[in-house]
């Protein structure tokens, strides 16, 4: 049981790192030849400014998969149905109409308006990251509860949701600052080995608080 819980806890981060490794090994970038239908997700402002968000989406989808595979009172059909709906919703909100979707656009618009109203840059950035984390986390939380938990509110569940939001907010801040923290210019060009290593480190730092919280929640008696 302990090994299964450990594997479930690690799965979203491992999936995210596997996606990063695949991109790095294949050399996928804006210089790659891709079908025209895929160009809106390869080119554009948001993928150039927030490239690690692509791997955050992988983390979110993998998290819903682990929820469906984990313990809980829900039936197998309910788990599969809501986890699939959640993954599809996250992909839609994160990628439509182009890369970033409503998640990054909502965060960017909030931060931009805050800055234009003469708020300090750090506050504007924090507000934007918070909105992006709220949209991302709202989808994860809603469908995770629908897939595997009794549909009744409680103070403990509200508290756990707040902590999860704070963890995702921290992760959004790390991802948004990846360029300032030294990440190279992917997807303008392919990852270099050192850049891929830095990207992996930043992704682990960003995701670890949320992964740890969800693991503790899964292991709590009566969860």
């Amino acid at each position: 049981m302990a090994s299964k819980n450990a594997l479930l806890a690690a799965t979203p981060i491992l999936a995210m790192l596997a996606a990063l490794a695949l991109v790095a090994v294949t050399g996928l970038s804006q210089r790659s030849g891709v079908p025209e239908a895929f160009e809106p997700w390869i080119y554009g402002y948001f993928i150039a400014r927030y490239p690690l968000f692509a791997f955050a989406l992988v983390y979110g989808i993998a998290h819903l998969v682990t929820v469906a595979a984990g313990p809980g009172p829900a039936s197998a059909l309910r788990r599969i149905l809501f986890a699939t709906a959640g993954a599809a919703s996250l992909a839609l909100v994160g990628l439509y109409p182009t890369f970033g979707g409503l998640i990054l656009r909502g965060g960017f618009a909030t931060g931009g308006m805050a800055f234009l109203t003469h708020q300090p840059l750090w506050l504007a950035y924090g507000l934007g990251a918070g909105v992006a984390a709220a949209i991302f986390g709202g989808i994860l939380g809603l469908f995770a509860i629908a897939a595997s938990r009794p549909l009744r509110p409680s103070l403990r569940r509200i508290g756990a949701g707040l902590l999860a939001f704070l963890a995702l907010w921290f992760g959004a801040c790390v991802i948004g600052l990846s360029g300032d923290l030294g990440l190279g210019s992917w997807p303008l060009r392919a990852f270099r080995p050192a850049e891929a290593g830095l990207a992996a480190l930043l992704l682990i730092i960003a995701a670890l608080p949320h992964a740890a919280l969800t693991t503790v929640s899964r292991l709590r008696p009566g969860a």
Side-chain angles (χ1 to χ4, degrees), residues 73-136:
S75 67
L77 178 60
R78 175 180 160 186
R79 291 167 180 274
I80 294 172
L81 177 63
F82 282 104
T84 302
S89 298
L90 185 63
L92 179 65
V93 177
L95 295 174
Y96 182 81
T98 60
F99 182 87
L102 179 61
I103 296 173
L104 292 189
R105 284 164 174 79
F108 185 79
T110 301
M113 288 302 299
F115 185 68
L116 289 175
T117 55
H118 308 292
Q119 305 303 315
L121 181 59
W122 64 267
L123 178 59
Y125 179 79
L127 290 173
V131 168
I135 299 171
F136 184 94

Side-chain angles (χ1 to χ4, degrees), residues 22 26 29 33 37 40 67 77 83 98 109 112 116 121-124 132-133 139 155 170-171 176 218:
L22 179 63
T26 59
S29 72
V67 168
L77 178 60
T98 60
L116 289 175
L121 181 59
W122 64 267
L123 178 59
I139 295 172
L155 289 177
F170 168 80
R218 186 180 299 119

Side-chain angles (χ1 to χ4, degrees), residues 30-219:
Q30 291 179 352
R31 299 180 183 180
S32 305
V34 297
E36 184 177 352
F38 290 95
E39 288 184 356
W41 294 278
I42 295 296
Y43 298 93
Y45 174 80
F46 287 102
I47 193 170
R49 182 66 182 85
Y50 308 107
L52 296 187
F53 177 70
F55 308 105
L57 286 176
V58 175
Y59 173 88
I61 292 171
H63 171 73
L64 290 170
V65 172
T66 63
V67 168
S75 67
L77 178 60
R78 175 180 160 186
R79 291 167 180 274
I80 294 172
L81 177 63
F82 282 104
T84 302
S89 298
L90 185 63
L92 179 65
V93 177
L95 295 174
Y96 182 81
T98 60
F99 182 87
L102 179 61
I103 296 173
L104 292 189
R105 284 164 174 79
F108 185 79
T110 301
M113 288 302 299
F115 185 68
L116 289 175
T117 55
H118 308 292
Q119 305 303 315
L121 181 59
W122 64 267
L123 178 59
Y125 179 79
L127 290 173
V131 168
I135 299 171
F136 184 94
I139 295 172
L140 286 191
L142 176 65
F143 284 98
I145 291 172
S148 66
R149 295 288 185 264
L151 301 178
R152 61 176 183 270
S154 68
L155 289 177
R156 187 172 70 177
R157 183 172 294 173
I158 292 171
L162 178 59
L163 288 175
F165 164 70
L166 292 175
L168 290 173
W169 194 354
F170 168 80
C173 289
V174 173
I175 285 175
L177 289 173
S178 60
D180 298 321
L181 294 173
L183 188 66
S185 55
W186 184 82
L188 182 62
R189 56 168 173 73
F191 275 117
R192 293 171 179 166
E195 292 168 348
L198 177 59
L201 177 61
L202 292 175
L203 287 171
I204 292 172
I205 292 172
L208 197 56
H210 181 262
L213 282 171
T214 55
T215 302
V216 169
S217 177
R218 186 180 299 119
L219 296 177

